[in-house]
Amino acid sequence: MDEGETPLLPDSLVYQIFLSLGPADVLAAGLACRQWQAVSRDECLWREQFYRYYQVARDVPRHPAATSWFEEFRRLYDAVPCVEVQTLREHTDQVLHLSFSHSGYQFASCSKDCTVKIWNNDPTISLLHSADMRPYNWSYTQFSQFNQDDSLLLASGVFLGPHNSSSGEIAVISLDTFALLSRVRNKPYDVFGCWLTDTSLISGNLHRIGDITSCSVLWLNNAFQDVESENVNVVKRLFKIQNLNASTIRTVMVADCSRFDSPDLLLDAGAPGTDSSRVFDLGSDGEDEESDPGPARAKGLRRLLDGFLEGRAQPPLPESTLETKVAKLLAQGHTKPPEQGRAAAGNKLLIFTTGCLTYSPHQIGIKQILPHQMTTAGPVLGEGRGSDAFFDALDHVIDVHGHIIGMGLSPDNRYLYVNSRAWPSGSVVADPMQPPPIAEEIDLLVFDLKTMREVKRALRAHRAYTPNDECFFIFLDVSRDFVASGAEDRHGYIWDRHYNICLAKLRHEDVVNSVVFSPQEQELLLTASDDATIKAWRSPRTVRVLQAPRPRPRPFFSWFASQKH
């Protein structure tokens, strides 16, 4: 400005100059004078800065909760937990899983050192308790979950045994006394287990029927199993589900339909019914494309089976294929049909990984849990079902055409995020014991449990390298605005849920197995790694607040004396 405070350059020219600068230079230039300060806060300027800096597609609108483009730019720059503030080294082996209490005051960790550790989440994190599970014949601990009122901790582990053993156990630990309250068998161990109510948990069991055919039974267990009365049930069968082609049910979790309150996510993967949108098919097994193949297929199977048994025909199929077809035939008419329609607000959804083509988990199964099923009271061992209903049909199934290695729910339980390593396009599973090769790149898929459709483009950046038969679970977590995941490339990753952009890479020295946001403070993230450490990450904004010098309180009498003068 000249001596008369008249701008030497018009605002439009200053604006054009600022467009050529980066965000930091714009803010620095804004300190020069009042005119430049005003231009440096221009909404159109920061809209351009936002799309250019974060490389967001121009057709993506601003987050509906954002008040301005400048504030939205600052949120993604300043509120992402990407600053390492503490490294915890109390574990002596690979750390496999982390879970927060609902209050955010505590968290738990599981490790190959066979301990479950419970931590106080203060500004400086400290160890509160460590439970050694080796006396119970555990090989290692793999998963934990706090119940809704944070009074109990579910801890899941793997039994000692042969390399191919699949047996595990779930333990319930009191968070008041740290006493072990109960133990429940869990098979296969990668069912993990989960809470259904504050005092009841879900476990699994597996029964072999043939070489590649089995059935999974999901049990509802009372967390307190020292009930003296013989008339009180402590366990009840929830569902019995047939498994084909060496598949099993794994990774169970529960979504509460009454919590669906978030707005629709943008960036739909495709319009309803288009090929780009995976659709949950009610009662489908994801294998047959015919609308109603049941009667015709049943007759064909019966003719094939009758001819084979009577010696009139040699099976033109491999034994594994014949076993699968016979199992399907025997299950027809002996399976309880799926619940019709979408989940009601009072119900809960049981979600798990499964499959129909191979042992590799390539499908997500969903089964409604009705209110009367949420207690161990009532008929035991499935006595309430009809005598012919041996199995329960799934309500919804989705095939991701790849190996599922992680799942997580949004805070309101409406959106399901899935880590998947894709199969090659057009690949066909000819042998259930030889699934297709899987991609190194991990796709993070998003499904809306309210509409039962896939939404948003897949999030990408993280990678994994192990083959099908060595592939392991990589836990992810979702907060209000962000989604985070581990990876085998020695990093954790954070994306923005609205803009679908990767915001941060969090470095470790080995595979990152698990990530978890504080449920009360999404600017705090924990990561767990094969390097035997847990790292705490906070946002730059939070770090500044915690490190800011606190003013010393002025003594009351000193202040009072100054007022008298």
Side-chain angles (χ1 to χ4, degrees):
M1 293 186 180
D2 59 18
E3 294 179 357
E5 298 293 321
T6 302
L8 296 176
L9 296 174
D11 288 354
S12 59
L13 183 55
V14 176
Y15 175 83
Q16 292 299 323
I17 295 173
F18 282 8
L19 279 177
S20 65
L21 303 178
D25 293 332
V26 168
L27 293 174
L31 300 176
C33 64
R34 287 192 297 271
Q35 181 202 15
W36 287 19
Q37 169 74 15
V39 176
S40 71
R41 291 294 189 269
D42 184 87
E43 270 293 275
C44 294
L45 173 65
W46 282 101
R47 181 181 184 276
E48 291 301 312
Q49 292 283 358
F50 183 92
Y51 283 116
R52 186 169 60 196
Y53 185 85
Y54 293 112
Q55 300 181 11
V56 176
R58 296 277 174 161
D59 59 343
V60 179
R62 194 176 71 191
H63 193 291
T67 57
S68 70
W69 283 106
F70 176 76
E71 291 299 330
E72 189 67 347
F73 187 101
R74 186 162 67 174
R75 177 181 73 84
L76 297 188
Y77 192 87
D78 212 25
V80 178
C82 58
V83 180
E84 181 183 340
V85 294
Q86 191 173 355
T87 301
L88 308 174
R89 305 182 185 276
E90 281 79 352
H91 280 291
T92 59
D93 207 335
Q94 301 170 1
V95 188
L96 303 181
H97 184 256
L98 299 166
S99 65
F100 255 109
S101 65
H102 295 83
S103 67
Y105 295 147
Q106 297 176 344
F107 68 89
S109 57
C110 296
S111 168
K112 282 288 185 73
D113 65 14
C114 206
T115 65
V116 181
K117 297 189 187 298
I118 302 169
W119 309 77
N120 270 329
N121 181 33
D122 298 319
T124 299
I125 296 168
S126 59
L127 181 62
L128 181 62
H129 178 74
S130 181
D132 185 358
M133 302 304 291
R134 283 172 293 190
Y136 305 102
N137 201 37
W138 286 28
S139 174
Y140 58 89
T141 60
Q142 60 172 352
F143 176 83
S144 66
Q145 186 182 43
F146 290 79
N147 70 343
Q148 192 63 40
D149 67 5
D150 293 336
S151 61
L152 303 173
L153 180 70
L154 175 156
S156 173
V158 180
F159 275 145
L160 284 169
H163 176 69
N164 60 351
S165 173
S166 63
S167 296
E169 192 172 57
I170 297 171
V172 177
I173 300 172
S174 167
L175 292 172
D176 292 328
T177 63
F178 302 117
L180 184 62
L181 300 179
S182 60
R183 292 158 54 204
V184 175
R185 289 297 180 100
N186 192 39
K187 184 177 181 180
Y189 57 77
D190 48 6
V191 168
F192 293 123
C194 66
W195 291 104
L196 178 60
T197 69
D198 270 341
T199 58
S200 59
L201 59 101
I202 296 173
S203 66
N205 200 0
L206 183 67
H207 302 278
R208 297 290 179 186
I209 299 175
D211 290 339
I212 59 170
T213 308
S214 65
C215 72
S216 290
V217 181
L218 297 174
W219 297 91
L220 184 63
N221 308 268
N222 195 322
F224 305 94
Q225 301 210 353
D226 56 351
V227 181
E228 297 179 0
S229 171
E230 295 181 357
N231 298 321
V232 178
N233 297 334
V234 295
V235 63
K236 183 174 73 173
R237 190 171 78 188
L238 271 178
F239 305 114
K240 184 177 182 180
I241 298 169
Q242 185 186 47
N243 302 316
L244 302 174
N245 290 318
S247 66
T248 61
I249 285 178
R250 313 174 188 180
T251 321
V252 298
M253 60 177 57
V254 172
D256 187 348
C257 302
S258 65
R259 296 171 60 183
F260 292 175
D261 61 357
S262 65
D264 296 342
L265 287 175
L266 301 178
L267 302 178
D268 286 355
T274 63
D275 291 339
S276 62
S277 177
R278 294 183 178 90
V279 180
F280 289 76
D281 295 322
L282 184 65
S284 166
D285 62 4
E287 182 180 18
D288 301 290
E289 298 180 357
E290 302 174 50
S291 59
D292 187 16
R297 187 176 63 172
K299 291 180 180 178
L301 284 171
R302 287 193 180 93
R303 284 198 298 268
L304 173 67
L305 184 59
D306 291 343
F308 174 64
L309 294 177
E310 295 174 6
R312 292 185 283 102
Q314 293 297 321
L317 303 171
E319 289 186 8
S320 61
T321 304
L322 181 62
E323 178 181 325
T324 298
K325 289 184 176 293
V326 171
K328 288 182 178 180
L329 174 61
L330 296 177
Q332 288 176 2
H334 299 283
T335 301
K336 184 179 179 181
E339 301 291 340
Q340 298 297 319
R342 295 176 183 170
N347 298 349
K348 294 185 178 182
L349 299 178
L350 182 65
I351 302 169
F352 45 84
T353 62
T354 182
C356 66
L357 303 175
T358 176
Y359 70 84
S360 174
H362 58 278
Q363 291 181 322
I364 301 166
I366 297 181
K367 187 72 181 168
Q368 285 194 57
I369 304 177
L370 303 178
H372 72 271
Q373 297 175 303
M374 298 183 195
T375 173
T376 55
V380 185
L381 304 181
E383 292 172 357
R385 71 181 63 230
S387 58
D388 292 333
F390 298 152
F391 303 113
D392 295 286
L394 304 186
D395 297 334
H396 304 281
V397 177
I398 184 171
D399 198 313
V400 303
H401 198 74
H403 191 125
I404 298 169
I405 61 169
M407 296 196 302
L409 289 165
S410 61
D412 71 339
N413 284 203
R414 175 173 173 180
Y415 293 99
L416 177 68
Y417 286 73
V418 179
N419 269 334
S420 171
R421 296 175 61 185
W423 292 340
S425 178
S427 60
V428 177
V429 180
D431 181 350
M433 305 309 295
Q434 297 291 329
I438 51 180
E440 289 187 354
E441 189 173 53
I442 303 173
D443 293 334
L444 185 47
L445 311 173
V446 190
F447 301 100
D448 187 345
L449 298 178
K450 183 177 181 180
T451 63
M452 296 299 177
R453 291 191 176 275
E454 183 183 14
V455 295
K456 301 178 73 70
R457 297 189 299 267
L459 304 175
R460 295 186 177 92
H462 49 330
R463 304 182 73 84
Y465 308 108
T466 49
N468 262 311
D469 55 348
E470 300 176 15
C471 203
F472 54 86
F473 215 69
I474 293 178
F475 294 93
L476 58 96
D477 196 34
V478 189
S479 70
R480 183 187 68 246
D481 296 319
F482 308 124
V483 55
S485 174
E488 291 185 38
D489 58 11
R490 302 183 179 185
H491 288 88
Y493 290 82
I494 303 175
W495 295 264
D496 183 80
R497 291 179 60 192
H498 178 78
Y499 299 109
N500 267 31
I501 54 174
C502 184
L503 296 171
K505 291 177 64 175
L506 313 174
R507 182 169 179 77
H508 272 268
E509 298 304 315
D510 210 329
V511 172
V512 178
N513 296 304
S514 180
V515 298
V516 63
F517 290 99
S518 166
Q520 302 298 326
E521 182 189 5
Q522 68 172 357
E523 295 182 36
L524 169 63
L525 178 76
L526 305 175
T527 56
S529 171
D530 278 358
D531 63 16
T533 68
I534 300 169
K535 290 188 177 184
W537 309 80
R538 292 189 182 273
S539 67
R541 177 171 62 189
T542 304
V543 171
R544 288 197 305 273
V545 171
L546 293 176
Q547 292 179 348
R550 297 182 180 181
R552 296 179 62 182
R554 194 175 181 185
F556 172 75
F557 290 107
S558 174
W559 171 84
F560 184 72
S562 67
Q563 297 302 307
K564 292 177 67 176
H565 296 295

